[in-house]
């Protein structure tokens, strides 16, 4: 693969969801630029809009973009369907991966690799590739024969997400709370998988997290703090260290840059 | 509905599950009006007169391919083996028995162990019905007997077109093990009404698969009775109900001896205007059937608007001393989150739907150990899904080949 740099640009993104009381705005003008090879962390309290941002990038139909733009190398991402975004090089590792009963992991992985790469991978090299990626994530080979996410433990689900990222080689990967629900061992393994993808320098990573714990394994160059639907603070790794000590209080309560009253608990 | 009644009242007085009249004489069965519980879902007009027992003017040919050592006979109407396991419970079944003029009998001897399946081809010879003309009427009665301690696989393969009333009696000997598949792969114009009666011997095991894909109207009534303790019956079913098709499966499992097990798992997909599926799951646990273990499940996947799935489980429990007794029924649409997940991995919407349906059916179909039959059923399902017009952008050809891999 040529190492041309790809750029995901998010400009003034406003996103609403439909509620019983009518549309409700969750993102209120997000600006963010992620390039391949870079690692960004987005941190923020519950309800700040972190997950909404990740789903909006992936194109989940529940979220309506009311203003702003998302482009990948200048191409309008918002005009693309969910599957076309993935084929364009955007990947979302989900916080709560969905069970798909009866569809085996191996069949699913091959179907998605075929779709994203535009041709079916050659069987012999594909089997090796999957095997090596699974070993790196300490996954038992029998895993491939199970139904997608069916009866997976929390750690297995997250390893499976990172396995997909490794195989699909996206330009931009959004990791939505990939660290949540992992014990120390699983966090180490999952972080190792993310680090391996990052080390290749062909993927830009947007790491969304509530906690700083995963940042001990994966060092972002850029840290963004999100509150009430906007990026309210930005900095380098040192910002994560500050958050580790002081938490999010000053962004939520202090009447800070962007925490209007009533912007509270959006999950 | 679940009725639990341990008062010792006679079942008729308490029951959730109706007790039909049982008689070989068609005239003992009332002509249904369509309001009866047993007929309320069935479009009687589309039965093409089977309720009045018209003379046969069509033909369903029966060809049996069986490994050596398995007897295939044509029994005349007076043969005492006919009706040993089944007494007709409705008019159509009674006419089928009366008009079939005998039966085809397949007998697997005691302690035989055949790896190769016995395949019974039932082919409706009526030429593919031209528009407005109905396929000819035919009657049939089939006996399958598995000797004690034998193990066998028997496949009924229904193809072609007919207006067919056909009964199947399956007698599983003590300690025997039978895998039984009935595939309804009829042409579009066929009507098929059938009673499939399974009689399970002591410590015997039945694994049955009822797969209904074709036909204009198919109404099957599988029943299970146990002749001794330790019997085990798995009734699996799959149906794919297309626009205009009526597919009805009415199951009745009656636990009378102690310590028997039953599992019912039916999965259906429906698509298109006027597609109508009916699943009735009746289970009776009689007062002496202590230590019974039963569970029945029906799941329906409604793929488009305009289709209707009726699903009615009934469980009647006359003893409290059971291992387990339960049922579940759910009818729903595609899981949007599952489709989103697949699409977020680059898989186009139409392909994502195919994968989900494939997975939905695989749970049942993968249990069929006859590989070429399993592949044929999956290919048929995939072909039907392939015809589903994509609601979104057209599927790219990439990736299509991996379905079923």
């Amino acid at each position: 693969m040529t190492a041309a740099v790809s750029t995901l640009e998010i400009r003034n993104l406003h996103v609403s969801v439909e509620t019983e009381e009518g549309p409700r705005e969750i993102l209120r003008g997000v600006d963010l630029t992620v390039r391949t090879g870079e690692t960004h962390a987005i941190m923020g309290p519950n309800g700040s809009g972190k997950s909404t941002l990740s789903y909006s990038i992936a194109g989940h139909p529940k979220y309506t973009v009311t203003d702003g733009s998302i482009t990948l190398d200048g191409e309008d991402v918002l005009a693309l369907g969910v599957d076309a975004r993935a084929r364009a090089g955007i990947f979302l590792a989900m916080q709560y991966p969905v069970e798909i009963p009866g569809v085996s992991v191996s069949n699913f992985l091959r179907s998605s690799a075929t779709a994203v790469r535009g041709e079916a991978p050659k069987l012999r090299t594909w089997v090796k590739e999957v095997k090596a990626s699974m070993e790196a994530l300490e996954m038992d080979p029998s895993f491939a024969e199970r139904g997608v996410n069916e009866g997976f433990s929390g750690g297995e689900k997250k390893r499976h997400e990172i396995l997909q990222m490794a195989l699909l080689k996206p330009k931009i990967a959004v990791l939505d709370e990939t660290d949540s629900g992992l014990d120390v061992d699983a966090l180490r393994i999952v972080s190792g998988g993310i680090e391996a993808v990052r080390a290749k320098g062909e993927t830009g990573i947007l790491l969304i997290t509530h906690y700083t714990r995963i940042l001990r394994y994966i060092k972002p160059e850029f840290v963004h703090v999100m509150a009430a639907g906007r990026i309210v603070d930005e900095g380098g790794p040192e910002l994560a260290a500050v958050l580790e000590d002081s938490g999010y209080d000053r962004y939520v309560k202090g009447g800070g840059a962007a925490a209007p009253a009533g912007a509270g608990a959006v999950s | 509905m679940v009725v639990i009644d341990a008062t010792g009242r006679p079942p008729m007085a308490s029951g959730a599950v109706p007790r039909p009249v049982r008689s070989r004489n068609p005239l003992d069965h009332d002509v249904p009006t369509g309001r009866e519980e047993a007929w309320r879902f069935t479009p009687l007009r589309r039965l093409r007169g089977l309720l009045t027992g018209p003379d046969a003017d069509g033909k369903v040919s029966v060809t049996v391919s069986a490994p050596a050592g398995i007897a295939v006979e044509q029994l005349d109407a007076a043969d005492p083996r006919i009706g040993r396991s089944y007494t007709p419970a409705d008019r159509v079944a009674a006419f089928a028995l009366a008009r079939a003029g005998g039966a085809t009998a397949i007998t697997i001897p005691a302690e035989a162990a055949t790896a190769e399946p016995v395949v019974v081809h039932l082919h409706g010879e009526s030429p593919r019905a031209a528009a407005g003309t109905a396929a000819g009427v035919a009657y049939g009665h089939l006996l399958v007997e598995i000797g004690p301690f034998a193990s066998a696989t028997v496949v009924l393969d229904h193809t072609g077109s007919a207006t067919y009333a056909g009964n199947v009696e399956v007698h599983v000997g003590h300690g025997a093990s039978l895998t039984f598949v009935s595939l309804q792969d009829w042409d579009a114009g066929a009507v098929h009404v059938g009673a499939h009666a399974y009689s399970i011997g002591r410590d015997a095991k039945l694994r049955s698969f009822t797969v209904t894909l074709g036909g204009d109207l198919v109404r099957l009534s599988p029943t299970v009775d146990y002749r001794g303790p330790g019997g085990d019956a798995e009734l699996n079913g799959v149906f794919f109900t297309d626009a205009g098709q009526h597919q009805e499966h009415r199951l009745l499992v009656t636990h009378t001896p102690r310590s028997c097990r039953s599992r019912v798992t039916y999965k259906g997909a429906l698509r298109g205007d006027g597609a109508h599926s009916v699943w009735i799951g009746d289970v009776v646990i009689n007062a002496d059937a202590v230590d019974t273990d039963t569970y029945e499940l029906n799941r329906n996947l409604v793929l488009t608007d305009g289709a209707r799935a009726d699903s009615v489980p009934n469980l009647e429990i006359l003893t409290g001393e059971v291992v387990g007794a339960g049922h579940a029924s759910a009818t729903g649409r595609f899981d949007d989150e599952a489709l989103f997940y697949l699409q977020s991995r680059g898989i186009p919407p139409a392909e994502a739907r195919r994968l989900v349906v494939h997975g939905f059916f695989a749970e049942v179909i993968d249990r069929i150990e006859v590989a070429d039959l399993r592949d044929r059923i999956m290919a048929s399902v995939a072909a039907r899904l392939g015809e589903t017009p994509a609601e979104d952008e057209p599927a790219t050809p990439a990736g299509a080949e991996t379905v079923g891999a």
Side-chain angles (χ1 to χ4, degrees):
Chain A
M1 184 185 249
T2 54
V5 171
S6 284
T7 308
L8 181 79
E9 279 195 277
I10 299 170
R11 288 290 167 266
N12 188 35
L13 191 69
H14 288 251
V15 173
S16 292
V17 290
E18 217 35 69
T19 70
E20 281 172 18
E21 294 89 41
R24 169 164 162 187
E25 187 167 65
I26 298 178
L27 297 189
R28 301 156 181 248
V30 172
D31 292 289
L32 190 66
T33 302
V34 182
R35 295 181 185 82
T36 50
E38 296 176 354
T39 303
H40 295 247
I42 293 196
M43 309 192 61
N46 287 328
S48 56
K50 304 189 300 289
S51 279
T52 298
L53 177 63
S54 63
Y55 277 119
S56 302
I57 295 170
H60 194 288
K62 188 179 146 194
Y63 301 92
T64 309
V65 175
T66 54
D67 198 4
S69 66
I70 304 177
T71 58
L72 181 63
D73 297 331
E75 189 185 3
D76 182 4
V77 169
L78 297 176
L80 300 176
V82 176
D83 53 315
R85 294 184 195 196
R87 292 195 297 272
I90 292 172
F91 178 85
L92 169 62
M94 302 204 192
Q95 185 178 3
Y96 303 111
V98 192
E99 286 191 9
I100 307 177
V103 177
S104 71
V105 167
S106 63
N107 188 11
F108 163 68
L109 291 177
R110 195 166 154 78
S111 295
S112 52
T114 301
V116 166
R117 297 178 190 184
E119 60 177 359
K122 288 205 171 53
L123 200 56
R124 220 160 49 96
T125 52
W126 171 248
V127 169
K128 274 190 204 160
E129 198 182 338
V130 173
K131 192 162 170 270
S133 298
M134 285 178 63
E135 278 172 6
L137 288 160
E138 299 181 32
M139 297 167 86
D140 190 88
S142 66
F143 200 85
E145 303 315 314
R146 294 169 67 184
V148 171
N149 294 318
E150 233 184 327
F152 286 17
S153 68
E156 286 174 332
K157 282 183 182 168
K158 297 302 172 74
R159 277 189 267 178
H160 182 227
E161 294 295 289
I162 300 309
L163 173 66
Q164 294 168 51
M165 176 172 72
L167 292 169
L168 298 179
K169 302 181 172 65
K171 293 172 181 160
I172 303 293
V174 182
L175 310 182
D176 187 9
E177 309 233 0
T178 296
D179 54 331
S180 69
L182 296 183
D183 62 26
V184 172
D185 255 5
L187 181 63
R188 175 185 56 78
I189 295 165
V190 164
S191 300
I194 297 169
E195 195 53 45
V197 169
R198 179 168 108 128
K200 289 186 180 156
E202 292 167 1
T203 299
I205 292 174
L206 188 56
L207 192 67
I208 290 176
T209 180
H210 183 81
Y211 304 104
T212 51
R213 180 170 82 124
I214 194 171
L215 304 184
R216 287 175 220 153
Y217 299 90
I218 299 161
K219 302 290 181 199
E221 296 102 28
F222 308 94
V223 175
H224 314 264
V225 181
M226 200 163 181
R230 287 197 186 99
I231 308 273
V232 294
D233 203 355
E234 290 179 300
E238 76 288 347
L239 183 53
V242 173
L243 291 170
E244 169 110 51
D245 294 336
S246 62
Y248 298 114
D249 281 2
R250 65 189 170 116
Y251 299 109
V252 181
K253 288 181 190 153
V266 177
S267 57
Chain B
M1 172 175 182
V2 181
V3 170
I4 298 176
D5 185 337
T7 60
R9 272 186 292 167
M12 286 297 274
S14 67
V17 176
R19 272 30 172 215
V21 170
R22 290 200 172 265
S23 167
R24 291 175 77 146
N25 181 356
L27 304 181
D28 287 346
H29 300 277
D30 290 337
V31 181
T33 62
R35 286 187 296 274
E36 298 78 4
E37 183 56 35
W39 292 98
R40 67 187 177 104
F41 293 111
T42 312
L44 299 183
R45 270 176 305 193
R46 283 162 64 185
L47 290 174
R48 302 202 188 122
L50 284 179
L51 288 167
T52 59
D55 290 336
D57 59 355
K59 190 183 177 202
V60 170
S61 65
V62 180
T63 318
V64 183
S65 59
I70 288 169
V72 180
E73 303 159 80
Q74 203 57 44
L75 307 182
D76 66 36
D79 195 291
R81 283 180 282 172
I82 296 176
R84 186 165 67 145
S85 302
Y86 178 68
T87 304
D90 66 50
R91 247 176 111 89
V92 178
F95 275 125
L97 182 54
R99 302 258 197 268
T104 303
I106 296 160
T107 309
I108 288 137
E111 298 184 37
T114 54
E116 193 190 329
V118 178
V119 182
V120 185
H121 299 276
L122 298 110
H123 185 71
E125 304 277 338
S126 302
R128 189 180 277 271
T133 59
V137 172
Y139 298 96
H141 199 88
L142 185 71
L143 286 183
V144 177
E145 185 163 335
I146 318 297
F149 306 104
S151 75
T153 297
V154 176
V155 177
L156 307 189
D157 187 358
H158 299 90
T159 57
S161 194
T163 298
Y164 180 56
N167 301 330
V168 181
E169 284 185 73
V170 180
H171 189 89
V172 186
H174 298 314
S177 171
L178 171 67
T179 297
F180 189 86
V181 183
S182 181
L183 172 59
Q184 289 64 247
D185 197 8
W186 297 107
D187 290 346
V191 167
H192 178 193
V193 180
H196 291 185
Y198 305 98
S199 171
I200 314 293
R202 181 187 181 110
D203 297 324
K205 182 168 171 65
L206 166 74
R207 226 175 178 213
S208 84
F209 297 88
T210 301
V211 180
T212 302
L213 302 170
D216 172 62
L217 183 154
V218 175
R219 178 186 147 116
L220 298 179
S221 304
T223 54
V224 169
D225 289 281
Y226 300 90
R227 302 193 309 280
D232 185 353
E234 275 181 26
L235 304 174
N236 301 286
V238 163
F239 50 88
F240 194 115
T241 316
D242 242 314
Q245 285 185 303
H246 177 93
Q247 296 178 341
E248 183 166 348
H249 298 90
R250 312 182 62 88
L251 294 104
L252 169 62
V253 179
T254 308
H255 284 269
T256 304
R258 59 171 294 146
S259 303
C260 290
R261 177 180 178 270
S262 60
R263 287 289 179 277
V264 175
T265 309
Y266 267 63
K267 290 189 150 195
L270 297 91
R271 181 188 69 164
D273 265 351
H276 187 195
S277 73
V278 179
W279 177 84
I280 309 292
D282 289 342
V283 174
V284 179
I285 304 174
N286 282 316
D288 294 333
V290 298
D291 195 30
T292 290
D293 181 3
T294 178
Y295 195 82
E296 44 172 354
L297 174 143
N298 172 224
R299 295 240 182 283
N300 301 311
L301 188 54
V302 179
L303 304 176
T304 66
D305 289 335
R308 174 180 167 158
D310 285 295
S311 178
V312 186
N314 292 301
L315 182 53
E316 185 177 317
I317 307 172
L318 301 172
T319 173
E321 295 173 53
V322 297
V323 174
H327 59 63
S329 159
T331 297
R333 292 182 164 271
F334 274 118
D335 176 353
D336 288 339
E337 294 303 321
L339 292 179
F340 172 72
Y341 188 79
L342 292 169
Q343 290 173 54
S344 78
R345 293 339 182 211
I347 298 169
E351 161 100 359
R353 284 192 288 269
R354 266 200 296 280
L355 274 173
V356 169
V357 175
H358 180 96
F360 174 76
F361 281 135
E363 193 201 352
V364 173
I365 295 174
D366 282 353
R367 294 183 199 166
I368 302 176
E369 282 161 1
V370 186
D372 52 354
L373 197 62
R374 190 174 59 222
D375 296 345
R376 181 175 143 202
I377 294 164
M378 270 305 190
S380 174
V381 168
R384 282 152 193 270
L385 282 168
E387 294 161 15
T388 305
E391 290 157 29
D392 313 80
E393 65 190 88
T396 58
E401 69 185 75
T402 58
V403 172

